[in-house]
Amino acid sequence: MAISQTRRARAARKRKRRVDAADNDLTSAQWEAILVAWGGCAYCGAQASADASLQRDCVLPISRGGRYTAESVVPACRSCNASKCNEEVTHWLRRKRLDERAFLVRLYEINAARER
């Protein structure tokens, strides 16, 4: 089923309003530090390549109140980011049979190290 351009444009405007209304203070330096700390996709471990770079993904989706801040953004490959969409991260990890515990522990460790 094809989505009409009007519907897609309306959804894009709605998402832009949500992003603009939220407290999004992630700097490019913070994003670079996050990339180095994770060393690849936070979910599946895929490395960035010349063909595909890692995307910023909010652990809690924007549509559910998430924000682009250093505490809530992780690098994700295009496949994981598109698959997760606006789903809750732990539910999505279980559904994809990815290691939920390892992700949550690593997220905690990286956020705790950044605060020191």
Side-chain angles (χ1 to χ4, degrees), residues 37-52:
W38 281 97
C41 176
Y43 305 121
C44 69
Q47 300 296 311
S49 65
D51 300 340

Side-chain angles (χ1 to χ4, degrees), residues 58-107:
C58 289
V59 175
L60 178 65
I62 297 288
S63 63
R64 296 179 183 226
R67 305 171 310 168
Y68 282 113
T69 61
E71 300 84 27
S72 64
V73 170
V74 296
C77 64
R78 185 179 190 140
S79 174
C80 286
N81 199 8
S83 172
K84 182 176 164 276
C85 192
N86 72 339
E87 198 169 345
E88 200 273 326
V89 70
T90 54
H91 181 263
W92 177 79
L93 287 167
R94 286 183 208 135
R95 184 172 56 81
K96 296 296 276 187
R97 292 187 172 86
L98 295 170
D99 193 350
E100 175 187 357
R101 184 178 189 281
F103 168 76
L104 294 173
V105 167
R106 184 77 176 128
L107 179 65

Side-chain angles (χ1 to χ4, degrees), residues 12-77:
R13 285 191 305 270
K14 186 176 178 182
R15 184 179 194 290
K16 182 172 178 359
R17 281 194 304 270
R18 279 194 307 264
V19 170
D20 290 345
D23 176 28
N24 300 302
D25 62 356
L26 185 68
T27 65
S28 57
Q30 289 172 321
W31 173 240
E32 292 300 322
I34 289 169
L35 287 172
V36 169
W38 281 97
C41 176
Y43 305 121
C44 69
Q47 300 296 311
S49 65
D51 300 340
S53 62
L54 296 173
Q55 302 173 349
R56 297 173 189 192
D57 182 49
C58 289
V59 175
L60 178 65
I62 297 288
S63 63
R64 296 179 183 226
R67 305 171 310 168
Y68 282 113
T69 61
E71 300 84 27
S72 64
V73 170
V74 296
C77 64

